[in-house]
Amino acid sequence: MKIAYISTYPPRECGIATFNKNLMLAINANFPKRKTLLEGGFVVALNDSENLQEYEYPEDVKYVIRQNHQKDYIRAANYINTSAVDAVILEHEFGIYGGESGIYILPLINRLEKPLISILHTILKDPSYVQRIIIREIAEQSSKIVVMSKRAVEFLTTIYDIPVEKIQIIEHGVPDLEAPEENPVKTLTPFKNHRVMLTFGLISRNKGLETVVKALPKIVAKHPDVMYVILGNTHPGVVKHSGEEYRDHLKSLAAQLKVSQHLCFINKFVAEDELIDYLTAAEVYVTPYLNEAQITSGTLSYAVGAGAAVVSTPYWHATELLADDRGRLFDFKNSDALAETVNELLDDDALLNELKENAYEYGLHLRWPVIGSEFIRVAQEAAATHDFSDKILKNSIVDPEVLPKFSLAHVTRLTDDTGIVQHAKYGIPNLKEGYCVDDNARALIMALMAYQRNGSQEAYRLLPIYLSYIHYMQTEDGNFRNFLSFDRRYLDEVGTEDSFGRTIWALGHLISCAASNSYREFALELFHRSYPHFKALRYLRGMANTIIGISLYLQAYPTDDGMVQELKRMTQPLIDAYDNTRSDDWEWFEESMTYDNAILPLALLHSCEITGDEKAKKIALTTMAFLDKLTLSNGYLSPVGNDGWYHRGGKFPTFDQQAIETMAMVLMHFQAYQIFRKPQYIEKMFLSYKWFLGENTLRAPLYDHETKGCCDGLLPTGINRNQGAESTLAYLISHLTVLKAFELEYEYNKIEEHVKLC
């Protein structure tokens, strides 16, 4: 029995990493002839860094996944499939995988050809839509789901609708160690001549340690020899964002309460053989978590396994594990109740020892070798019953291997402290052309999408630059100028309707998915100031861009009835334009197809998603089909060229093809999929995107792998080698949309498989 483990792994400091290492050791302990962990399989490790060399992994780790690199997940699946393992164990925690709530793990498990056993470390009582989808999909792809408590089974069956027969309870393992006869920890200063209360584990605010500090005055008043020891480093994620602010807060609180001499931090990550010494040296072990939503606690399991006298708040795992007098419970944040409970135990040695004995006896069946044998049985059953032929596999509609690595290099080259420069000579910014609000609006959308995807700090730093530019270009009456010279002189009094609409789109996007409250409030102010100009719009594309912005705004503020009515009012001219122009051979809004054509059906798709207008939906689908027939019928995208446009009854112009046409096609088909859930739209979206990579009329790529920019268009003579903001942003927005679509692969592949079976 060889197993591949997908998990974080030491030396990364993470509870899941420690658990997985212990599980590997426990399983191998049941095969005494094995001399190394590698004989029993290997680890696919999750990195929280872009750097593959961030951690010095042992030889057990054979593949590393960078958390936010979607391609790494696909390659890991291929690596596992071509290996000699008999089964795969997945450690699941939402925060260790990339994408929204860790959705990047789904394409990996969807491609596995080996039986999968998934261990769920967190099961939420109130999951988001995406979180619920992820757990359900993991369950569907797994031979067994392993959880560590009865409450977890209840949640999975009632909240996630997972069949009970697919769920297996295997409790959290604990070290197979006994307390030493001479405990070296008892000679340490915090323990020597003290009765110690202990908490261990990575430190963060959700641990509720301040409750214990607040209880100390009443405990110390009766037992002046008490010392509260907090053992463990601050969580690396907390250090990255807040430093040691929480630890300093606890020290300050202790000083205010005059118990500083009774609080001690031991700031280190201890190995298990050392941890048993600390646990058995303490009189009382405390887990003061702040709320009930803790389905599993490894530190609690370790304390019980070591035979500690445990006092805890009544979170889900604690209520089960400490039942039958294996510990004591006190209410959340109730420092008085904690003090009373601890004093009662310290007053009565017989009661204290009884708790310890009960915990120790129960902990014997939690020892890691015992737990390992249970996992071996589950893995053997999964391997024996696994029939890969039952799993319908197909190549993904979206092939992540063809996507270049996402890079903001050219965007940052074009961006200064004013905004993004309009044009470039080849890959070099052309400062003579200055800036425009069109491009800064697109840049704001792109930066938001990049930040949403993986929390890119590079993208986050760009956001205030583009938002500031938009603010600078807004006039006193709420309209927007468009052009600004390099020396920051206004070059127009009022911009075009297109630039107005694109700015509203960007503001609506920011309002719907703000990176911070201050950004949302700023965007709301600009958005509402511009509102009086909505009624002045006369051209369809200006209206279409504005419609998209309003629709995005209404995703955040759906009860704004006035804005809903404005959306309906603005949608009507597009409907009227179609009704007045269409014929059996011309399903379009105007007598000519000009530029940014897909933006018109895209706007109707956004509008009908909010309003439910069936006529708008029908027109959107009809005009989409007409546009697809004209531009995708050759098996690649050939958008309407700018050289003369396409007039009813005229000749279709092949050149000049522009990147914004392609971006609109990508966005249109993805929006169609989000509404109608038909895989054909994902296929057309990806086909359109590949125009940038060379699947086009000239079979020439417009994306430049050297500069990370996008060329400005296809000419009859070849490629326009200039790489301005418009084309580069069109490419990046398209790229990010494709990555977003790939996150939904589990869904559209399943739909397509169902259609084939029917």
Side-chain angles (χ1 to χ4, degrees):
M1 173 57 61
K2 289 191 173 185
I3 298 172
Y5 302 82
I6 304 171
S7 175
T8 54
Y9 202 67
R12 179 175 173 182
E13 292 183 4
C14 166
I16 304 295
T18 303
F19 179 94
N20 194 79
K21 178 68 177 287
N22 285 332
L23 179 58
M24 287 184 73
L25 290 167
I27 289 174
N28 267 26
N30 286 270
F31 297 93
K33 292 184 179 180
R34 291 179 180 172
K35 296 179 180 179
T36 65
L37 285 177
L38 204 54
E39 292 180 48
F42 59 84
V43 176
V44 174
L46 271 295
N47 263 23
D48 53 354
S49 165
E50 297 290 298
N51 181 9
L52 288 169
Q53 310 305 319
E54 176 78 8
Y55 302 105
E56 293 185 15
Y57 289 118
E59 63 174 1
D60 327 338
V61 174
K62 289 299 180 186
Y63 198 90
V64 176
I65 295 174
R66 292 164 294 181
Q67 182 173 338
N68 293 312
H69 282 247
Q70 287 165 292
K71 290 182 185 179
D72 287 359
Y73 292 83
I74 306 307
R75 293 167 182 166
N78 295 336
Y79 185 87
I80 293 169
N81 289 338
T82 55
S83 74
V85 299
D86 303 294
V88 180
I89 288 179
L90 171 76
E91 308 285 359
H92 183 265
E93 174 73 56
F94 290 111
I96 66 176
Y97 301 107
E100 183 180 354
S101 297
I103 201 169
Y104 288 2
I105 193 60
L106 297 187
L108 188 162
I109 64 173
N110 190 54
R111 285 167 169 75
L112 284 179
E113 299 170 8
K114 312 283 186 177
L116 175 67
I117 298 102
S118 296
I119 305 171
L120 303 184
H121 290 266
T122 297
I123 303 166
L124 300 173
K125 187 177 182 181
D126 298 300
S128 68
Y129 172 81
V130 172
Q131 288 164 341
R132 186 171 183 271
I133 286 290
I134 289 170
I135 296 298
R136 284 175 55 84
E137 187 63 21
I138 289 173
E140 183 164 329
Q141 298 295 335
S142 301
S143 299
K144 277 289 184 185
I145 292 289
V146 174
V147 296
M148 303 178 199
S149 66
K150 295 174 185 176
R151 181 63 66 95
V153 177
E154 176 191 331
F155 284 2
L156 288 179
T157 54
T158 59
I159 299 170
Y160 298 86
D161 299 321
I162 294 171
V164 69
E165 59 270 16
K166 204 158 199 176
I167 307 169
Q168 176 86 33
I169 296 180
I170 302 179
E171 291 191 78
H172 197 296
V174 302
D176 188 25
L177 298 169
E178 295 291 339
E181 289 187 14
E182 293 187 11
N183 193 335
V185 166
K186 289 186 177 181
T187 65
L188 299 178
T189 301
F191 287 79
K192 192 174 183 179
N193 300 321
H194 289 112
R195 303 186 81 181
V196 172
M197 296 165 55
L198 177 70
T199 298
F200 85 91
L202 294 174
I203 297 173
S204 59
R205 277 197 175 273
N206 65 330
K207 298 297 176 68
L209 304 181
E210 60 274 13
T211 304
V212 189
V213 176
K214 290 176 182 177
L216 280 177
K218 289 188 176 180
I219 296 171
V220 170
K222 289 196 70 176
H223 300 279
D225 57 347
V226 162
M227 177 70 72
Y228 178 40
V229 175
I230 299 173
L231 172 63
N233 293 330
T234 301
H235 193 288
V238 174
V239 172
K240 185 183 294 185
H241 294 101
S242 306
E244 294 291 356
E245 179 269 337
Y246 182 50
R247 189 186 296 266
D248 292 341
H249 164 70
L250 295 173
K251 291 178 180 178
S252 175
L253 178 62
Q256 292 172 25
L257 297 173
K258 297 181 172 54
V259 290
S260 294
Q261 299 304 312
H262 299 271
L263 173 65
C264 176
F265 290 93
I266 301 179
N267 187 15
K268 69 175 185 176
F269 190 82
V270 295
E272 283 187 355
D273 54 352
E274 189 180 2
L275 178 59
I276 191 74
D277 295 343
Y278 280 96
L279 287 169
T280 53
E283 292 280 3
V284 177
Y285 182 79
V286 188
T287 55
Y289 295 159
L290 295 176
N291 60 66
E292 65 178 0
Q294 182 88 10
I295 207 79
T296 304
S297 170
T299 58
L300 180 69
S301 297
Y302 280 20
V304 169
V310 181
V311 178
S312 174
T313 49
Y315 55 91
W316 295 323
H317 193 202
T319 56
E320 290 187 32
L321 193 54
L322 300 182
D324 301 324
D325 287 327
R326 292 190 290 270
R328 288 293 187 88
L329 301 175
F330 67 96
D331 282 342
F332 300 106
K333 302 181 182 179
N334 192 333
S335 56
D336 290 338
L338 171 59
E340 184 179 338
T341 302
V342 170
N343 281 333
E344 181 186 1
L345 293 175
L346 295 180
D347 285 341
D348 189 338
D349 287 343
L351 181 60
L352 188 68
N353 290 330
E354 182 183 353
L355 284 186
K356 291 182 177 182
E357 288 170 11
N358 291 343
Y360 177 82
E361 288 299 320
Y362 188 82
L364 289 175
H365 89 279
L366 302 180
R367 299 289 178 97
W368 271 118
V370 178
I371 297 299
S373 66
E374 293 190 47
F375 273 99
I376 291 169
R377 180 177 54 78
V378 171
Q380 287 173 336
E381 288 178 3
T385 59
H386 182 64
D387 184 357
F388 177 63
S389 63
D390 288 343
K391 188 171 183 178
I392 301 172
L393 274 188
K394 64 179 291 299
N395 291 328
S396 174
I397 296 172
V398 176
D399 181 3
E401 290 295 338
V402 309
L403 274 65
K405 181 181 177 181
F406 180 80
S407 173
L408 290 171
H410 191 52
V411 165
T412 56
R413 191 179 300 121
L414 291 173
T415 302
D416 59 19
D417 59 356
T418 298
I420 192 165
V421 175
Q422 282 190 82
H423 297 298
K425 294 293 288 183
Y426 300 96
I428 308 302
N430 184 357
L431 305 182
K432 294 178 180 179
E433 301 293 338
Y435 318 84
C436 68
V437 80
D438 264 322
D439 289 336
N440 279 274
R442 290 190 191 95
L444 181 61
I445 293 169
M446 183 282 301
L448 279 166
M449 293 175 71
Y451 179 70
Q452 280 180 290
R453 189 178 82 86
N454 61 10
S456 166
Q457 290 304 301
E458 187 179 15
Y460 189 79
R461 286 190 291 270
L462 294 172
L463 289 175
I465 296 174
Y466 305 136
L467 187 55
S468 176
Y469 181 88
I470 290 171
H471 174 244
Y472 188 63
M473 299 303 281
Q474 188 167 41
T475 60
E476 290 185 8
D477 67 354
N479 209 329
F480 294 95
R481 296 181 173 92
N482 192 9
F483 298 111
L484 188 74
S485 68
F486 183 66
D487 59 356
R488 296 186 180 179
R489 287 180 295 106
Y490 295 125
L491 299 179
D492 55 8
E493 290 303 316
V494 178
T496 64
E497 290 194 8
D498 284 3
S499 65
F500 178 89
R502 289 187 185 111
T503 306
I504 300 304
W505 179 351
L507 293 173
H509 193 147
L510 181 53
I511 291 164
S512 70
C513 61
S516 71
N517 285 332
S518 60
Y519 285 167
R520 174 180 279 121
E521 290 167 7
F522 195 5
L524 280 168
E525 182 180 318
L526 301 182
F527 184 90
H528 286 302
R529 283 187 65 195
S530 68
Y531 175 70
H533 297 277
F534 291 5
K535 291 181 170 57
L537 297 173
R538 295 291 178 264
Y539 297 102
L540 294 186
R541 281 162 185 76
M543 293 179 185
N545 282 286
T546 304
I547 285 169
I548 296 170
I550 295 172
S551 300
L552 293 169
Y553 164 89
L554 287 169
Q555 288 180 4
Y557 297 95
T559 59
D560 188 338
D561 292 335
M563 200 61 73
V564 172
Q565 294 306 312
E566 182 63 21
L567 177 62
K568 292 178 179 178
R569 186 196 68 77
M570 291 199 68
T571 302
Q572 193 59 45
L574 270 71
I575 294 173
D576 293 342
Y578 171 79
D579 286 340
N580 294 334
T581 308
R582 70 161 300 275
S583 64
D584 292 342
D585 62 349
W586 188 258
E587 300 282 1
W588 198 242
F589 304 88
E590 301 167 307
E591 294 291 333
S592 300
M593 280 189 162
T594 56
Y595 65 97
D596 211 5
N597 293 294
I599 205 75
L600 301 177
L602 173 62
L604 290 181
L605 289 170
H606 276 280
S607 178
C608 71
E609 183 182 26
I610 298 295
T611 66
D613 188 321
E614 289 298 323
K615 185 169 184 180
K617 185 186 296 182
K618 183 178 179 181
I619 293 172
L621 289 172
T622 301
T623 52
M624 274 181 65
F626 182 64
L627 184 58
D628 287 348
K629 184 178 179 181
L630 287 170
T631 60
L632 292 174
S633 57
N634 293 327
Y636 56 85
L637 177 65
S638 180
V640 175
N642 284 10
D643 187 15
W645 313 124
Y646 179 44
H647 302 280
R648 188 197 294 227
K651 183 180 178 182
F652 189 90
T654 303
F655 302 103
D656 302 338
Q657 296 179 20
Q658 301 290 309
I660 60 165
E661 300 293 328
T662 304
M663 180 187 81
M665 291 288 286
V666 168
L667 292 172
M668 176 184 73
H669 285 117
F670 184 57
Q671 178 67 11
Y673 174 75
Q674 290 185 299
I675 294 174
F676 303 109
R677 288 314 201 246
K678 292 184 178 180
Q680 68 194 57
Y681 295 123
I682 297 293
E683 291 179 9
K684 291 178 179 179
M685 175 211 70
F686 193 51
L687 185 62
S688 299
Y689 166 78
K690 288 190 286 187
W691 178 89
F692 291 107
L693 306 184
E695 293 198 23
N696 52 48
T697 308
L698 295 181
R699 291 296 188 264
L702 286 91
Y703 177 73
D704 187 332
H705 291 266
E706 180 182 356
T707 66
K708 314 304 181 189
C710 180
C711 297
D712 281 350
L714 285 184
L715 308 173
T717 54
I719 299 172
N720 181 340
R721 291 282 289 120
N722 293 330
Q723 298 173 13
E726 179 182 287
S727 55
T728 296
L729 292 167
Y731 166 75
L732 291 173
I733 289 171
S734 300
H735 184 103
L736 289 163
T737 303
V738 169
L739 290 175
K740 182 68 176 175
F742 183 60
E743 294 178 14
L744 304 175
E745 179 201 47
Y746 70 92
E747 182 181 87
Y748 50 74
N749 275 358
K750 191 179 299 181
I751 295 168
E752 195 161 64
E753 288 160 7
H754 176 72
V755 170
K756 287 182 179 179
L757 286 172
C758 293

